[in-house]
Amino acid sequence: MAGETSRNRHVVVVGGGPAGLAAAAAAIAASARVTLLESGDELGGQFWRHLPQERAGAKESRLHHNWSTYTQLRDTVLGAACCEVLTNAQVWSLERDPQGSIQLNIARGPVDSGSRETFQLAPDALVLATGAHDRTLPFPGWTLPGVFTAGAAQAFAKSERIALGQKVVIAGAGPFLLPVMTSLVSANANVVGVFEANPLRNLGGWVADRPWKLAGASHKAGELLEYVGAHVRHRVPYKTGRAVVAAHGTDRVEAVTIAKVDRNWRPIAGTERRYAADAVCVSHGFTPRIELAIAAGCDISPQKFVRVDDAQRSSVDGVYAAGEITSIGGSDAALYEGQIAGHCAAGGDVADPELRRAVRQRATFTHFAGRLEAAHGIRPGWTSWLSDDTTLCRCEETSVKSFRYTVAVTGSAGLRSTKLTTRAGLGICQGRICGRNVEALLAEATGDPVGDSARTDRRPIVAPIRLADLATAGAAAPTTCTEESES
Amino acid sequence: MTARLIRAEDDPIERRAAARLTATFDGKHLEGEAGQTVAGLLLANGIDSWRTTSVNGRPRGLFCGIGVCFDCIVTVNDERDVRACQRRVQDGDVVCPQHDELPEVKH
């Protein structure tokens, strides 16, 4: 056990999903003083997003995987004397002083309100577990009401008990489409079909290639069978090699066009088929939320993940990362990474016996994740289903035509100047939705990877805040867990 | 307007019947239950767009559902730019659609 060294260590964990909860619990077990910051008003993250207390369900576990793991972790962090759980707490910036110490600026209170309190924390160690959000590729009509991310469909089925449509098309790429389908049918929606852009020959490899490596992840096979069962029971077709290439409607979606695509996702002419739908749920994978890691100065891989070592330590002293910001590995990988990160952030060592199982399981699940990415990853042919008037940036309403034209006439190969001339990525979401797509289109136009050091995820203000929050920033941190209470 | 709330009495997870509340949207009376988000309340009442865009005046509502895209912003009790998918409704909330004109360029 980490013993004396961790007794006074203050570990701040950002994010209350599987990785953050596991990190906080492990840091508590290693005797650290812990502050867990969650931007929403409930713990659980997107994976365990659930109804609030006022509307809770007695059998809520039916909507979730490993619900008991969640309730155990939640009870651990809420019950520990030296863990302070702050919900509705938005970290809006991270600063480092010349000595390298980290300071978090936080606003806390009702979301987007002008009455939030602001304060700062300067932890001894920081665990970033900020997760990921859906990446959605654009297509004509994707801005119509009734077109949602698949994550929205799942979030609203689980945490609002709302089915976003009666006749729903689910499309995109990746295994996430399957739980979205089960969430929707659990909300009594009629799912017209699930359309996976990768053809079978892209997908086949992840099982066929050295299947014994998956043995430790065998409950994943069980989950897969569960989804297959749901498809059969609810007669939901699962079709591969097909992508949503257009949504139709005037003020809301009324139909979608699905086309067959080749293995690089280039639509095959003449294969278009139109389906009536009142909701279209789309996801093409996930984008890690790495703004805080970038602000801390962490080394980021070309695939935009935070680089970590065996102890989940980033390249910056005292900053650890776990979960989807290190790779899109699912909740199992996130839980084990979180456990390792929290333990080590508290002063423990990755070789400590209590981490043996977590270290072994992490290897299994990150291998599993690598296979899924190879099978389901985005292929470059998607840009050929864009029309001239397809909206690229939803906030600034930059069209594909004007983006390509501006890039051509300015000859810009840099992301920063391209954003300024086209306005793509400069709206209220600050490129969270279009950023990766803008980078891809720019790289396509110039034939090179994005040529300057700018990154869409580099945002000095991590989350949009009100000027009033800025004006009152700098107040001292509230602490409920003092040195005295520990002794 | 095809999003639909599962009634508490029909919900297989045996959802607790929460306290009722009322709010208005664009002057229209809405009924909901404690714990819903603003977006949840609007969708449950058959409203699927509550904002128009600045450039093309197009309707927008929920998109990402997890507070990332800011497409669902709305004005609540005179406070602008509130993400409807993140804010919980309070009894008596006055919710208004949001449209932000682009600033005019003076010559």
Side-chain angles (χ1 to χ4, degrees):
Chain A
M1 187 37 79
E4 289 305 307
T5 53
S6 65
R7 177 64 56 186
N8 298 314
R9 268 176 92 77
H10 180 203
V11 175
V12 171
V13 179
V14 183
L21 286 169
I28 291 164
S31 307
R33 179 161 76 84
V34 177
T35 306
L36 174 60
L37 302 171
E38 161 58 42
S39 61
D41 55 8
E42 297 282 337
L43 293 175
Q46 298 310 326
F47 185 70
W48 287 313
R49 184 152 161 179
H50 57 276
L51 290 160
Q53 267 310 306
E54 301 95 310
R55 307 177 70 203
K59 295 186 176 163
E60 209 150 334
S61 62
R62 288 183 177 193
L63 303 178
H64 296 272
H65 281 112
N66 298 331
W67 182 247
S68 63
T69 304
Y70 167 66
T71 55
Q72 278 165 23
L73 288 170
R74 176 197 63 194
D75 294 348
T76 299
V77 300
L78 292 177
C82 265
C83 178
E84 188 176 32
V85 177
L86 301 176
T87 53
N88 272 321
Q90 175 70 57
V91 180
W92 57 267
S93 76
L94 183 157
E95 297 169 276
R96 282 171 71 192
D97 68 19
Q99 286 73 45
S101 298
I102 281 172
Q103 181 177 284
L104 298 168
N105 292 311
I106 299 150
R108 185 167 187 235
V111 65
D112 300 332
S113 75
S115 58
R116 299 189 297 184
E117 59 163 341
T118 57
F119 59 93
Q120 299 172 324
L121 290 174
D124 298 312
L126 176 66
V127 179
L128 297 175
T130 43
H133 62 79
D134 287 276
R135 176 161 174 200
T136 307
L137 299 176
F139 50 87
W142 75 306
T143 54
L144 285 170
V147 178
F148 308 99
T149 70
Q154 196 177 40
F156 271 62
K158 283 179 172 181
S159 68
E160 295 279 346
R161 299 304 285 146
I162 281 180
L164 286 177
Q166 317 262 19
K167 220 173 156 71
V168 187
V169 166
I170 300 173
F176 181 54
L177 302 179
L178 301 173
V180 170
M181 182 272 297
T182 55
S183 284
L184 277 161
V185 295
S186 87
N188 303 324
N190 170 21
V191 179
V192 177
V194 176
F195 301 95
E196 159 70 51
N198 285 291
L200 266 181
R201 57 183 171 154
N202 289 15
L203 301 178
W206 73 266
V207 182
D209 174 36
R210 291 171 296 160
W212 61 88
K213 285 256 194 181
L214 296 175
S218 57
H219 78 266
K220 287 289 179 195
E223 277 178 38
L224 189 61
L225 280 178
E226 206 182 305
Y227 296 134
V228 171
H231 269 283
V232 172
R233 225 172 23 256
H234 298 282
R235 298 201 173 89
V236 177
Y238 179 79
K239 296 194 173 172
T240 58
R242 286 171 177 79
V244 53
V245 295
H248 314 282
T250 313
D251 285 334
R252 75 170 332 281
V253 67
E254 287 156 16
V256 290
T257 296
I258 303 280
K260 283 191 184 172
V261 294
D262 67 17
R263 68 178 311 173
N264 284 317
W265 296 17
R266 198 170 276 278
I268 299 167
T271 63
E272 298 83 2
R273 190 171 159 196
R274 199 171 162 122
Y275 294 83
D278 58 24
V280 187
C281 304
V282 188
S283 167
H284 296 96
F286 294 93
T287 299
R289 303 179 74 170
I290 54 174
E291 296 97 331
L292 287 172
I294 289 175
C298 300
D299 195 12
I300 306 291
S301 73
Q303 292 76 32
K304 309 281 180 80
F305 293 109
V306 183
R307 283 192 211 268
V308 289
D309 66 9
D310 277 359
Q312 299 297 132
R313 196 168 28 208
S314 77
S315 62
V316 175
D317 210 24
V319 179
Y320 297 74
E324 308 289 72
I325 58 171
T326 69
S327 70
I328 303 299
S331 64
D332 294 285
L335 283 166
Y336 294 117
E337 288 184 11
Q339 188 187 342
I340 296 165
H343 179 84
C344 295
D349 192 282
V350 69
D352 289 343
E354 57 264 57
L355 288 188
R356 219 168 271 155
R357 179 163 180 273
V359 168
R360 202 176 55 239
Q361 293 286 67
R362 176 182 59 183
T364 300
F365 285 104
T366 49
H367 173 81
F368 186 75
R371 285 187 177 206
L372 290 181
E373 173 57 26
H376 293 281
I378 291 174
R379 305 294 169 113
W382 66 269
T383 56
S384 63
W385 70 51
L386 302 171
S387 66
D388 275 355
D389 59 359
T390 305
T391 300
L392 175 60
C393 168
R394 296 174 67 94
C395 301
E396 293 291 326
E397 301 180 270
T398 312
S399 72
V400 166
K401 182 183 181 181
S402 82
F403 183 85
R404 284 180 170 155
Y405 173 80
T406 310
V407 169
V409 297
T410 59
S412 171
L415 181 64
R416 190 175 284 117
S417 62
T418 300
K419 282 170 69 173
L420 291 170
T421 49
T422 65
R423 297 214 48 85
L426 288 181
I428 190 168
C429 95
Q430 288 284 287
R432 282 170 177 78
I433 299 300
C434 73
R436 298 285 156 94
N437 304 334
V438 166
E439 290 179 16
L441 276 196
L442 181 58
E444 183 189 65
T446 59
D448 275 318
V450 171
D452 58 19
S453 63
R455 285 198 178 96
T456 304
D457 314 272
R458 187 184 298 279
R459 304 179 181 100
I461 304 285
V462 169
I465 56 167
R466 291 178 186 274
L467 287 173
D469 291 340
L470 267 181
T472 55
T479 47
T480 58
C481 187
T482 62
E483 295 293 321
E484 291 74 26
S485 69
E486 284 187 20
S487 55
Chain B
M1 45 165 274
T2 50
R4 183 172 37 82
L5 173 68
I6 300 175
R7 299 194 316 164
E9 51 271 37
D10 298 338
D11 198 329
I13 66 159
E14 297 176 11
R15 195 170 89 233
R16 186 179 301 159
R20 305 296 300 174
L21 54 73
T22 62
T24 62
F25 171 72
D26 206 9
K28 187 180 154 206
H29 175 85
L30 301 183
E31 297 205 11
E33 48 187 270
Q36 283 180 308
T37 61
V38 173
L41 173 79
L42 293 170
L43 289 165
N45 279 277
I47 298 160
D48 61 17
S49 62
W50 46 84
R51 180 173 88 86
T52 46
T53 60
S54 298
V55 178
N56 298 323
R58 300 293 297 147
R60 295 280 173 88
L62 187 75
F63 179 63
C64 83
I66 65 170
V68 173
C69 76
F70 289 78
D71 242 338
C72 69
I73 52 172
V74 72
T75 297
V76 180
N77 304 332
D78 293 329
E79 201 160 59
R80 297 162 33 84
D81 302 332
V82 175
R83 284 169 291 170
C85 73
Q86 298 293 295
R87 174 73 72 89
R88 304 267 179 214
V89 187
Q90 306 299 317
D91 192 31
D93 272 352
V94 176
V95 182
C96 294
Q98 200 166 311
H99 174 77
D100 301 315
E101 292 289 339
L102 290 173
E104 229 174 281
V105 180
K106 295 205 164 62
H107 295 284

